[in-house]
Amino acid sequence: MEEKSFYVKDSIIILFGTALYAFGLVNINIANDLAEGGVTGITLILLALFNIDPAYSTLLINIPLILIGGKILGKHAFYYTIIGTLSLSAFLWIFQRFPVSINLDHDLLIASLLAGLAGGAGSGLIYRVGGTTGGSDVIARILEKNFGVSMGRSLLLFDVFVLTLSLTYLDVKRIMYTLIVSFVFSKIVDSVLDGAYSAKGMLVISNCSEDIGEVIMAMLERGVTYLSGTGGYSQIDKKILYVVVSPSEIIEIKRIVHELDPKAFISVTNVHEAIGEGFTYAKPEKKLFRKMPKKEEVGTKTISSEN
């Protein structure tokens, strides 16, 4: 029953993602004569040269690819890819019959940014639940399994090939704007896949790691973890503090560390996704104002919170 609810939830997300992707493709890309990479780019070439509706060419190209790559995709991905391909064709058909006029004052830069935003957000949602819209993704997986070609390389080569073919109906100027679309598209996809809640990971190497950890747990109510480490030069064992926080809390933690140990080493890294209490689950309720404990008060009480 729980697995079925996941299928329903994921399917709804895929439908929303393909609707957003199709909306951008029809009302921004096609409306402003911008190309596209991958199989979608081929459907636009067929539209420009032979007036073949992308809603139909998407099915004609993708269905054979999906059937060939069915075993490679796996059960869930195969199911989601079928949904993605069918819904994409359906939404392309709908939006072409009921287009929405977006007045961009013939500004190709704005059109490129919006096309990348819509396409990246839609595709990101689809990829986030493990689905695809078929096409070049399937081709890349087949090449990776049978010929050892990495997916990144094959996708790039395929996009370059399709964009080169697009010169048959577009000038170099619009192809260059299409590269902007591709760049924005990839960045938005990464942002969607990385998680809705941005976070930072902080490593603190100090002789006062436990004191610093107690203050962080008391003031910010963030769990901390102590890792075992040994100094490469001193060969002295130390406890390394690790904590995941929101970007707005970095300054506060730096202040805490500096007050307790001015010589502490701090490393801040990007966390692509943070799941757990304080991020995706209910966060402990905080008081409006908190005072930092005095140095002599640190260590007098035990705090059990951990990552």
Side-chain angles (χ1 to χ4, degrees), residues 116-190:
L117 178 62
S123 296
L125 289 173
I126 297 168
Y127 298 153
R128 190 172 173 83
V129 297
T132 72
T133 54
S136 52
D137 294 333
V138 178
I139 295 173
R141 293 189 186 187
I142 293 173
L143 291 175
E144 183 180 45
K145 183 172 182 179
N146 295 314
F147 302 101
V149 182
S150 68
M151 283 192 67
R153 179 176 297 181
S154 57
L155 286 171
L156 175 62
L157 291 175
F158 192 60
D159 284 347
V160 169
F161 174 72
V162 173
L163 289 177
T164 303
L165 287 180
S166 299
L167 288 170
T168 55
Y169 75 100
L170 292 177
D171 55 22
V172 176
K173 176 183 175 181
R174 277 181 162 73
I175 293 298
M176 295 307 295
Y177 276 110
T178 299
L179 293 179
I180 297 177
V181 176
S182 300
F183 178 79
V184 175
F185 177 95
S186 64
K187 293 300 180 183
I188 297 298
V189 167
D190 288 342

Side-chain angles (χ1 to χ4, degrees), residues 8-205:
V8 173
K9 178 184 174 183
D10 291 348
S11 298
I12 293 173
I13 292 175
I14 290 173
L15 290 174
F16 182 76
T18 53
L20 188 57
Y21 182 86
F23 178 86
L25 188 65
V26 172
N27 296 297
I28 303 175
N29 287 69
I30 296 176
N32 292 277
D33 293 325
L34 293 173
E36 185 62 87
V39 168
T40 303
I42 294 177
T43 65
L44 296 184
I45 294 173
L46 294 175
L47 172 66
L49 299 182
F50 306 106
N51 200 31
I52 299 176
D53 191 329
Y56 303 135
S57 56
T58 295
L59 279 178
L60 291 173
I61 296 173
N62 278 320
I63 293 300
L65 290 175
I66 295 171
L67 294 176
I68 293 171
K71 292 183 178 180
I72 297 174
L73 291 172
K75 179 183 175 182
H76 289 160
F78 179 75
Y79 172 74
Y80 290 157
T81 301
I82 289 291
I83 294 177
T85 301
L86 294 177
S87 60
L88 177 59
S89 295
F91 284 121
L92 285 173
W93 189 91
I94 293 171
F95 287 130
Q96 286 181 101
R97 271 71 187 172
F98 304 98
V100 177
S101 178
I102 302 176
N103 184 14
L104 301 177
D105 199 25
H106 306 291
D107 192 323
L108 286 177
L109 179 58
I110 294 178
S112 302
L113 296 175
L114 288 177
L117 178 62
S123 296
L125 289 173
I126 297 168
Y127 298 153
R128 190 172 173 83
V129 297
T132 72
T133 54
S136 52
D137 294 333
V138 178
I139 295 173
R141 293 189 186 187
I142 293 173
L143 291 175
E144 183 180 45
K145 183 172 182 179
N146 295 314
F147 302 101
V149 182
S150 68
M151 283 192 67
R153 179 176 297 181
S154 57
L155 286 171
L156 175 62
L157 291 175
F158 192 60
D159 284 347
V160 169
F161 174 72
V162 173
L163 289 177
T164 303
L165 287 180
S166 299
L167 288 170
T168 55
Y169 75 100
L170 292 177
D171 55 22
V172 176
K173 176 183 175 181
R174 277 181 162 73
I175 293 298
M176 295 307 295
Y177 276 110
T178 299
L179 293 179
I180 297 177
V181 176
S182 300
F183 178 79
V184 175
F185 177 95
S186 64
K187 293 300 180 183
I188 297 298
V189 167
D190 288 342
S191 298
V192 175
L193 291 178
D194 284 347
Y197 194 106
S198 60
K200 298 288 184 180
M202 299 186 70
L203 283 171
V204 180
I205 302 175

